[in-house]
Amino acid sequence: MTTGDTACPATVSVTEAARILGISRSSAYRMTRQYVDSGGAEGIPALRLGTRVVVPYVRLMALLNGEWLPSHDVRPTSVG
């Protein structure tokens, strides 16, 4: 995936998502748990990859742009 000449990552860490959103790391982790608990209706979209929790970059950008991508295409998984 690219934006202009810059390649975009598929996922970012919860810490990086917090930095992008301008919130604390603990708030970002709380909001990823909220995403899972609400079945994807609220919070920051998150996936567990092995022992890591990551945020899909495209979904994070959609959240920032005020666009919400339905959670039906990515099933929430338990977060830490």
Side-chain angles (χ1 to χ4, degrees):
M1 169 182 352
T2 62
T3 304
D5 293 333
T6 307
C8 298
T11 62
V12 294
S13 68
V14 176
T15 301
E16 182 67 8
R19 187 192 65 74
I20 291 168
L21 293 169
I23 61 175
S24 71
R25 182 175 172 263
S26 61
S27 290
Y29 272 102
R30 182 173 32 78
M31 292 176 77
T32 58
R33 282 189 299 277
Q34 179 184 27
Y35 178 79
V36 172
D37 293 345
S38 72
E42 299 176 0
I44 298 172
L47 303 169
R48 181 175 289 283
L49 299 178
T51 59
R52 293 187 63 214
V53 176
V54 296
V55 176
Y57 185 79
V58 170
R59 294 176 66 85
L60 181 62
M61 292 300 105
L63 180 65
L64 280 173
N65 290 325
E67 306 161 6
W68 187 252
L69 298 176
S71 63
H72 68 274
D73 60 332
V74 178
R75 291 192 179 126
T77 59
S78 63
V79 175

